[in-house]
Amino acid sequence: MTSPMAPRPLPWLITGGADASAEAVLGLTAYSKAAPDDGPAATALSQLTEGIADMSSGSVQQWPFGAILPWNQSRTLWHAWGGMAPAAVANASALLHRPDLLTAAVKDSAQFTPQLLAAGGPDNAWSPTPGEAQIAYGVDSRVEGLVATAKAANAPGLLDVAAVAAGWYFGANRSGKPAYNPATGTAIDGIETDGRVNPNSGAESTIHTLLSMLTLDANPDLKAKAVGISKTAGTDGLKVAEAESGTITGGAVVKPSSAWTGEANWSGGAYVALNAGGTVAIPVPVSDQARNVYPIVNQRPEPAGTTSWTSGSALLGTTPNGGAGEQGITAAPGKLFPFSLDRPLPAGGNSVTAKAGSDVSIDAVLLQPQISSVSVSGSGGDSTLYISAAPGSIERKVSLPQGFHLSQQAFDASGQSVKARPDQNGADHSGRVTVAPGGFTWVTLVRN
């Protein structure tokens, strides 16, 4: 018998990946239900699920916003391939009677996935800036993860997010065209960042698309909402401002031979190297609301002072130039990482300025609206998902056409329902949308 004082065995991952491990956990969960007395299988299931859950990273206001990272050799790379981690953890947590593990799936589904959709949709990778094509396997993993987590955590709000994600198949994507042909059961092989469609229909894309369709068929209410979404009317989410676009004093733009560092990508293939005392003033698009700011800094292993960040006369915070620690098992020393600042950029801000306390390499700045949004339309009507990255409740005023009212469903940061603002008739004629801290609100435009 193991002593109660003995240390818990360290979790482990197949080939160092939550991606490959998630596929194993899905199979082991099904097997363990059928063969509950198989001890080695139960042990493997428990250890793998713990390992995946331990890859949960960030929070509402810290990159990557609750995502389960896929690879233990990078703290700054999330990719969609093999992205079944939240579904695997959600399914296994119930069988293992481990509600503590479910937290990782909830954060990935309720916090990261809405931010992913608001940033432009289910991209293939954030490394750490969003980009790359959108492919069916990434969409399917979001849909399956949201549905599994909604059921395991009794979090109905996640099904609204799943409908938005699944709308990608029916035209709510960058191309504006359906990615799935129900007559043939085939799917396209992806949509590029500029909206170009890869018309091929490979096995991987088709299989994942059909898995999504099976999930929708098994959840008729979700299916009805998803097939009614055929257009993305607009998104307002995470955006990138490149450091090399700024005005530099005491430094220079550097273009490395490869954008890939071994762990992450230099956004735009370049960065700004500042000397101690140097500055870079980075222009950013103006917004009518406050935005969280995440400077992407190449943090060195050794302690090396800080860089201060301002907008006008306001100090937003500082980022570390060093102190990342030993390299360990990763391919490059230090880490290229989007650090959180203490204070948001106020509404109307059009630039942020970095001043280096010591030599530092700055890649870019991520700008995150405190309320992001995804607006969709189709036969199901016009709806918007509002997503919070704010520490407190926020109210947004939206345009309300004559003869219409709003129907609101508000959820907290775990996808649980919270009270919205209906009037005595159950309809909201105020045009005011309330979003819970770190949560999201599903708003539908309804004719009176």
Side-chain angles (χ1 to χ4, degrees):
M1 179 179 293
T2 303
S3 166
M5 298 301 292
R8 179 173 65 87
L10 292 174
W12 47 276
L13 297 168
I14 297 171
T15 66
D19 44 16
S21 299
E23 300 294 333
V25 164
L26 290 170
L28 283 167
T29 300
Y31 173 76
S32 293
K33 287 179 181 178
D37 296 329
D38 189 328
T43 297
L45 174 62
S46 177
Q47 290 183 335
L48 283 169
T49 307
E50 288 176 359
I52 296 168
D54 279 354
M55 296 295 283
S56 176
S57 304
S59 62
V60 169
Q61 294 178 305
Q62 181 184 18
W63 192 97
F65 316 118
I68 298 175
L69 292 181
W71 187 38
N72 67 2
Q73 293 186 43
S74 175
R75 290 172 284 183
T76 330
L77 170 65
W78 174 87
H79 63 69
W81 183 87
M84 296 295 292
V89 171
N91 289 337
S93 64
L95 185 66
L96 294 169
H97 305 291
R98 293 284 304 275
D100 58 309
L101 298 177
L102 182 59
T103 300
V106 169
K107 289 178 65 178
D108 188 293
S109 300
Q111 297 171 26
F112 168 66
T113 297
Q115 291 290 339
L116 177 74
L117 298 177
D123 290 337
N124 189 43
W126 284 13
S127 62
T129 56
E132 301 196 19
Q134 296 174 358
I135 305 173
Y137 58 67
V139 185
D140 177 50
S141 65
R142 294 300 97 194
V143 172
E144 292 198 61
L146 287 158
V147 171
T149 306
K151 293 180 178 179
N154 191 25
L158 300 183
L159 296 178
D160 288 325
V161 183
V164 176
W168 186 90
Y169 292 112
F170 309 112
N173 55 54
R174 287 172 176 156
S175 75
K177 302 173 183 177
Y180 166 61
N181 184 343
T184 61
T186 56
I188 61 171
D189 260 349
I191 301 171
E192 299 295 333
T193 56
D194 60 3
R196 286 178 296 119
V197 172
N198 181 340
N200 296 328
S201 185
E204 186 175 50
S205 291
T206 298
I207 288 168
H208 278 285
T209 298
L210 294 177
L211 287 171
S212 287
M213 297 306 123
L214 289 171
T215 299
L216 295 182
D217 286 344
N219 296 273
D221 290 344
L222 170 60
K223 179 179 180 178
K225 185 173 288 188
V227 298
I229 297 173
S230 57
K231 179 181 179 181
T232 301
T235 60
D236 183 17
L238 202 70
K239 292 181 174 60
V240 183
E242 299 291 353
E244 58 267 27
S245 71
T247 301
I248 304 167
T249 60
V253 174
V254 178
K255 296 182 179 180
S257 58
S258 172
W260 178 244
T261 69
E263 301 177 9
N265 279 309
W266 293 107
S267 178
Y271 62 90
V272 170
L274 289 182
N275 303 321
T279 64
V280 55
I282 306 171
V284 302
V286 175
S287 174
D288 65 352
Q289 63 169 308
R291 288 169 290 178
N292 300 329
V293 182
Y294 305 90
I296 303 175
V297 175
N298 193 29
Q299 185 186 23
R300 303 199 298 275
E302 71 281 2
T306 61
T307 293
S308 61
W309 293 84
T310 58
S311 180
S313 61
L315 176 64
L316 304 181
T318 62
T319 52
N321 299 342
E326 295 182 4
Q327 181 173 339
I329 64 172
T330 65
K335 64 177 181 179
L336 184 64
F337 192 81
F339 291 94
S340 305
L341 295 184
D342 297 329
R343 286 168 287 281
L345 176 68
N350 62 5
S351 70
V352 293
T353 298
K355 183 174 182 179
S358 62
D359 293 354
V360 64
S361 298
I362 299 172
D363 182 25
V365 169
L366 291 176
L367 300 160
Q368 178 192 47
Q370 292 209 322
I371 298 296
S372 297
S373 61
V374 185
S375 296
V376 295
S377 62
S379 61
D382 297 332
S383 300
T384 300
L385 185 69
Y386 292 94
I387 305 126
S388 169
S393 181
I394 288 185
E395 184 177 279
R396 293 282 284 174
K397 187 75 168 66
V398 300
S399 177
L400 192 59
Q402 184 72 26
F404 286 82
H405 65 269
L406 299 180
S407 172
Q408 297 190 41
Q409 295 174 288
F411 305 93
D412 64 16
S414 62
Q416 304 292 329
S417 297
V418 297
K419 187 175 181 180
R421 180 192 272 111
D423 63 19
Q424 64 271 22
N425 298 317
D428 188 342
H429 296 273
S430 70
R432 297 193 300 272
V433 175
T434 302
V435 191
F440 52 91
T441 299
W442 177 253
V443 178
T444 302
L445 194 62
V446 181
R447 190 178 294 276
N448 292 338

